[in-house]
Amino acid sequence: MLSKNLKVVNPSGLHLRPAGVLSQTAMKFKCDVIIQTGEKKIIAKSVLNVMAAGIKSGTEITLICDGEDEAEAMATISQAIESGLGEM
């Protein structure tokens, strides 16, 4: 299991478009992909779960990848989040 603390840089947080990009990226991997913010743990492969979490710009999150391709998933997904999920 790998985890990494990240900051959401999207100006409007994880609304529909960036949540969709995040979920589609996470679905490419076999491992479990979880976003933790505070006490909430969100399954990143579900766009509805990501949107429902209401993650705003500047929020500190923990990305957790657990499974056979966790290292590749962590690198790809964390890079996507750090680059603004196509919105920057």
Side-chain angles (χ1 to χ4, degrees):
M1 180 172 84
L2 300 173
S3 68
K4 182 175 182 179
N5 292 327
L6 300 164
K7 188 175 196 175
V8 175
V9 297
N10 301 61
S12 53
L14 296 183
H15 61 88
L16 180 58
R17 193 170 343 115
V21 171
L22 176 62
S23 295
Q24 287 178 346
T25 304
M27 282 190 262
K28 294 176 184 176
F29 300 98
K30 295 176 184 172
C31 66
D32 292 330
V33 182
I34 309 274
I35 296 171
Q36 184 171 347
T37 175
E39 295 298 312
K40 287 190 237 176
K41 287 190 175 185
I42 301 122
I43 297 170
K45 293 183 180 183
S46 167
V47 68
L48 293 176
N49 285 350
V50 175
M51 282 179 44
I55 298 171
K56 307 284 186 216
S57 181
T59 302
E60 295 283 337
I61 63 171
T62 302
L63 177 64
I64 302 166
C65 297
D66 188 16
E68 65 182 83
D69 54 358
E70 63 189 25
E72 184 183 354
M74 178 62 73
T76 303
I77 298 167
S78 61
Q79 192 278 329
I81 292 170
E82 290 168 338
S83 67
L85 294 162
E87 288 204 324
M88 301 295 283

